[in-house]
Amino acid sequence: MAVLEIRKYPDEILKKKALPITEIDKNIQKLIDDMIETMYKANGVGLAAPQVGVSQRLIVVDTSSREENQSLIVLINPEIINSEGEVLSEEGCLSLPGFTTRLKRGEKILVRGLDRKGKEIEIYAEGLFSRALQHEIDHLNGMLLIDRISPLKRELFRRRYQKVKK
Ligand code: NI
């Protein structure tokens, strides 16, 4: 296993729509292990493959450090098939260090995808787990937190972020 470099805004790969995984081969298994290690090392609750430079539809999520009855989830080609309710909460992203924002997300969701063995699974999620899944699936569609905030807030973010980088 290896800790991978996490791509940060404005890396172009974060804006790309990731491609579905058609074969769960040895390379994908290694990528999964590396992403898990990278997520834990960064103290994150989720990570999407584009964040480590791979434009494929794979996410790992583990909110067990902050929520009860949760565990590590690996999802290949995940899709949100149902969403109920709305909830406003604070959110951050490993690709946007130092930035958090309050964001409305679906409250309870149903997600379908494949596990690392290629078996189809459906996951019902709420709480932080639901938010993390939605956040990581956004990454697969080339979408970051800052694409979900108002244009004014986004502009403020851009100005501040440029300063921080210098
Ligand atoms: Ni993120």
Side-chain angles (χ1 to χ4, degrees):
M1 294 217 275
V3 173
L4 305 171
E5 184 205 341
I6 297 177
R7 304 294 184 94
K8 311 270 167 33
Y9 171 88
D11 194 304
E12 283 296 312
I13 199 162
L14 298 171
K15 285 200 269 178
K16 271 175 71 177
K17 192 172 157 79
L19 294 173
I21 289 172
T22 52
E23 197 190 342
I24 306 171
D25 56 14
K26 271 198 320 204
N27 292 333
I28 294 293
Q29 296 297 343
K30 181 174 188 319
L31 176 62
I32 290 169
D33 289 335
D34 290 348
M35 281 174 58
I36 291 167
E37 196 176 349
T38 304
M39 170 179 70
Y40 289 146
K41 181 85 196 299
N43 292 315
V45 295
L47 195 65
Q51 291 183 280
V52 293
V54 180
S55 196
Q56 291 196 290
R57 304 187 79 80
L58 163 65
I59 63 172
V60 296
V61 170
D62 187 351
T63 57
S64 62
S65 61
R66 300 214 239 147
E67 276 182 331
E68 280 180 20
N69 304 316
Q70 296 297 352
S71 58
L72 172 67
I73 293 285
V74 173
L75 267 182
I76 294 164
N77 303 336
E79 264 181 279
I80 296 169
I81 53 177
N82 195 35
S83 178
E84 263 181 59
E86 269 189 339
V87 60
L88 184 67
S89 187
E90 191 85 7
E91 204 171 310
C93 177
L94 295 174
S95 295
L96 296 163
F99 175 77
T100 60
T101 186
R102 282 165 75 78
L103 202 67
K104 242 185 228 172
R105 295 263 189 203
E107 188 180 6
K108 300 170 180 177
I109 59 165
L110 187 63
V111 177
R112 185 186 290 151
L114 303 175
D115 69 11
R116 64 184 300 169
K117 290 175 184 157
K119 192 179 141 222
E120 188 173 286
I121 48 173
E122 278 188 6
I123 296 170
Y124 173 79
E126 53 186 312
L128 178 64
F129 184 42
S130 166
R131 180 164 290 267
L133 284 167
Q134 291 173 76
H135 177 110
E136 300 315 329
I137 292 170
D138 267 1
H139 275 301
L140 303 183
N141 295 321
M143 192 170 275
L144 294 172
L145 283 184
I146 48 164
D147 299 310
R148 289 200 176 272
I149 59 181
S150 71
L152 181 67
K153 272 191 180 174
R154 197 178 307 132
E155 190 48 41
L156 287 170
F157 160 79
R158 284 210 183 101
R159 280 187 218 161
R160 214 186 55 189
Y161 201 82
Q162 290 305 322
K163 272 191 209 151
V164 171
K165 275 210 314 184
K166 277 174 203 163

